[in-house]
Amino acid sequence: MDRLVELDVREIELIFKSREKCAKSFRVTNLMHAMPVAVSLSTTKPSLFTFDQPLSIIPHLSTVTYTITSAPMDQPIISSTPDSVVVKSSMLPTGKAQENDLRCLFARPGPRVFKDATIPISFTGFQVIKFLIGRAPQFPDMDYLINRSIPWCNQAQLTTLLRSAILGRDVRTVLALIDAGADVNYAEPGEKSLLSVAIDAGSLEVLEALFSSGTVIDNSIDLVHEAAERNRVDLMKVICKGLSEADVNCVDSNGRTPIHVAAAKGSVEAVRLFILAGGNPNTVDSTGWTPLHCAAEKGHLGVVEFLLECPEFNGKYVINSEAKTAFGLAAENNHKHLYDSLQLGDLLHRAARVGDVNGMNSCLLQGANVNSRDQNGWTPLHRAAFKGWTECVRALLGGGADVDAADEAGCTPLQCALEAGQVETAMLLVAKGAKAEVKSLRSCCIPVEKLDRLRKHRSLSPV
């Protein structure tokens, strides 16, 4: 015979509670038909685990219940080699013995002492899962430990753990808890939804897991704005894909759409995503700001240029509640790199067209691109030369204008001046280095004496 008793468990599972004693009862049955058996219970860590009856006698064919109790501890002990309960037994023909006799009996190994079982001790339950969340690198068998503890948790506990697992970006535990029955749509009054928690955590995998679990969306407005606030385009894509009812034109408490938020963050990709999803880039918030205002205030050139080139956008000159355009906000915040895109380029062209030297100088001082082009490829110098505004031409050249800039048809400012018969302007351009042939200049009826003077200053190609 290799054993005298039998246990009704193969593992001792203690439901862990922080700073409390944890207890578990189990039964031991005497397998002998006609003889009592002495039993010894011990553990590999006697300082942590105790028994109510470490030494006892079981009558023949009888069963006795024992209780193991753990010492209070802050955190559960989890290791690859768990502690164990060691069960030893010995036949006791007399059926009677004092405790000291039993202690002496099991203190010395011999043929009369049987080692009936070694039962592992483990902690389990809600607080064990809570302890394990986010600690996967420390516990290679974490999935096993989580799944073993799940049956000891009720739905409310599973849902609480789900929130912790989402915050911990622990996608495997999230999936395990959802499969076990955690309520993905539950939130205490005043709490964020679990989808919002996933956005806070910034885990793409966790967010996708929640969507695939059949999560009901009741606050898609907040979700879209929250993802935009975090400037996470990957999260925005998952939300727009996962929310068939998502409204990308929804507004927050300030009347701002997700496009406003993305523009303020400087994310061209996010602005493009929301517009492709049906977002309106022309929506104004409660203070009259368009997304362009938001981008201009922060100095985001990429978003400014994207919106200005977007066919759906027509709010370049919208004035907010403070009577400011997007250009006004850029100027207020000294974002000179935005001036040309927002307005100064247009103003500079207009000044060149009407001969407004003062306006032109003002634009140049504010940072306007002196070589900016209109839809035909004309620079302000083309326009001033064609109109014959000599002082404007002089100011533009002084501001660094390209004297030989060619438009889409290959025409330079000098050719524009010649075609319009602007002799004085053409002479000035030549004097400032514009490439030309004498034949072209003669065709403009420039007097011979003026051509002679030009030859003294420049080397003109002969006819």
Side-chain angles (χ1 to χ4, degrees):
M1 177 176 290
D2 58 355
R3 60 180 180 152
L4 304 179
V5 298
E6 181 179 64
L7 279 72
D8 66 344
V9 292
R10 294 185 177 181
E11 182 174 4
I12 304 294
E13 292 184 308
L14 296 169
I15 300 178
F16 180 81
K17 293 182 180 180
S18 179
R19 300 180 182 179
E20 293 185 18
K21 293 182 178 181
C22 308
K24 176 75 174 182
S25 295
F26 59 95
R27 295 186 299 173
V28 179
T29 299
N30 181 354
L31 299 178
M32 300 297 292
H33 287 267
M35 187 178 298
V37 171
V39 174
S40 166
L41 301 177
S42 63
T43 70
T44 51
K45 284 188 178 178
S47 61
L48 292 180
F49 304 100
T50 57
F51 297 93
D52 60 339
Q53 299 180 74
L55 297 168
S56 61
I57 299 172
I58 305 177
H60 65 279
L61 295 179
S62 296
T63 299
V64 174
T65 299
Y66 298 88
T67 300
I68 182 173
T69 304
S70 71
M73 57 189 77
D74 293 332
Q75 296 179 339
I77 296 175
I78 301 173
S79 64
S80 56
T81 55
D83 301 316
S84 301
V85 172
V86 179
V87 181
K88 295 180 181 179
S89 62
S90 178
M91 289 182 287
L92 195 65
T94 62
K96 296 180 181 181
Q98 298 296 320
E99 183 174 335
N100 286 336
D101 297 330
L102 295 177
R103 187 175 292 110
C104 291
L105 173 64
F106 290 109
R108 297 187 300 273
R112 295 178 56 192
V113 176
F114 293 82
K115 188 175 181 179
D116 287 83
T118 301
I119 307 297
I121 306 170
S122 63
F123 289 103
T124 190
F126 169 78
Q127 292 192 13
V128 169
I129 299 177
K130 187 176 181 180
F131 172 76
L132 289 171
I133 287 173
R135 300 176 184 264
Q138 302 175 41
F139 300 100
D141 56 346
M142 180 171 166
D143 290 345
Y144 165 75
L145 296 172
I146 294 285
N147 289 322
R148 188 182 64 183
S149 291
I150 282 177
W152 299 97
C153 301
N154 58 38
Q155 188 186 47
Q157 290 176 323
L158 292 174
T159 304
T160 299
L161 291 169
L162 179 59
R163 183 173 291 268
S164 297
I166 292 170
L167 282 172
R169 301 163 60 92
D170 189 340
V171 65
R172 290 190 299 181
T173 301
V174 166
L175 292 171
L177 292 169
I178 291 174
D179 289 343
D183 185 355
V184 295
N185 298 306
Y186 179 78
E188 290 284 350
E191 281 187 342
K192 287 187 174 183
S193 70
L194 294 181
L195 283 171
S196 293
V197 174
I199 293 173
D200 285 339
S203 172
L204 189 65
E205 290 182 321
V206 169
L207 191 61
E208 289 176 330
L210 290 174
F211 277 124
S212 65
S213 72
T215 306
V216 176
I217 312 303
D218 59 0
N219 59 347
S220 58
I221 290 177
D222 287 338
L223 293 180
V224 180
H225 277 88
E226 286 170 13
E229 282 286 355
R230 282 156 184 77
N231 205 13
R232 289 285 302 274
V233 178
D234 53 349
L235 296 180
M236 298 177 210
K237 287 180 179 178
V238 172
I239 291 170
C240 289
K241 181 180 178 181
L243 299 178
S244 58
E245 70 274 32
D247 180 8
V248 292
N249 289 309
C250 56
V251 295
D252 61 15
S253 58
N254 296 314
R256 294 196 168 187
T257 67
I259 300 179
H260 283 90
V261 178
K265 293 292 182 179
S267 175
V268 175
E269 190 176 357
V271 171
R272 181 186 292 111
L273 172 68
F274 289 134
I275 291 176
L276 289 175
N280 182 2
N282 300 300
T283 302
V284 296
D285 67 9
S286 56
T287 57
W289 286 44
T290 66
L292 186 64
H293 283 91
C294 298
E297 184 202 30
K298 300 296 184 181
H300 298 311
L301 178 61
V303 174
V304 166
E305 291 181 337
F306 175 79
L307 287 171
L308 293 176
E309 294 172 3
C310 178
E312 294 86 357
F313 182 71
N314 55 21
K316 181 176 181 180
Y317 300 109
V318 170
I319 298 174
N320 66 14
S321 60
E322 298 176 340
K324 294 176 182 177
T325 62
F327 169 75
L329 288 172
E332 183 179 277
N333 291 278
N334 201 31
H335 297 313
K336 294 182 178 181
H337 60 292
L338 303 182
Y339 291 176
D340 188 54
S341 296
L342 286 171
Q343 188 177 33
L344 284 181
D346 291 345
L347 290 178
L348 186 59
H349 278 269
R350 179 182 178 278
R353 185 171 60 252
V354 300
D356 180 3
V357 178
N358 291 332
M360 182 177 295
N361 286 329
S362 177
C363 289
L364 293 175
L365 286 173
Q366 292 183 71
N369 181 1
V370 72
N371 292 308
S372 61
R373 296 178 180 272
D374 64 11
Q375 67 273 17
N376 298 313
W378 273 27
T379 65
L381 187 60
H382 282 88
R383 194 166 298 282
F386 182 78
K387 288 288 187 175
W389 304 121
T390 304
E391 291 306 312
C392 288
V393 169
R394 197 183 308 277
L396 289 168
L397 292 172
D402 182 358
V403 72
D404 288 316
D407 66 7
E408 292 182 355
C411 292
T412 64
L414 176 59
Q415 289 173 307
C416 290
L418 293 174
E419 290 176 5
Q422 308 294 354
V423 176
E424 186 178 356
T425 302
M427 293 287 291
L428 175 61
L429 289 168
V430 172
K432 293 297 184 179
K435 297 176 182 178
E437 296 179 352
V438 173
K439 181 178 180 180
S440 299
L441 298 176
R442 281 181 176 171
S443 68
C444 192
C445 301
I446 297 178
V448 174
E449 61 273 16
K450 289 188 176 182
L451 288 177
D452 289 337
R453 286 201 303 272
L454 287 173
R455 285 195 182 94
K456 292 179 182 178
H457 297 286
R458 294 194 56 214
S459 177
L460 296 178
S461 300
V463 180

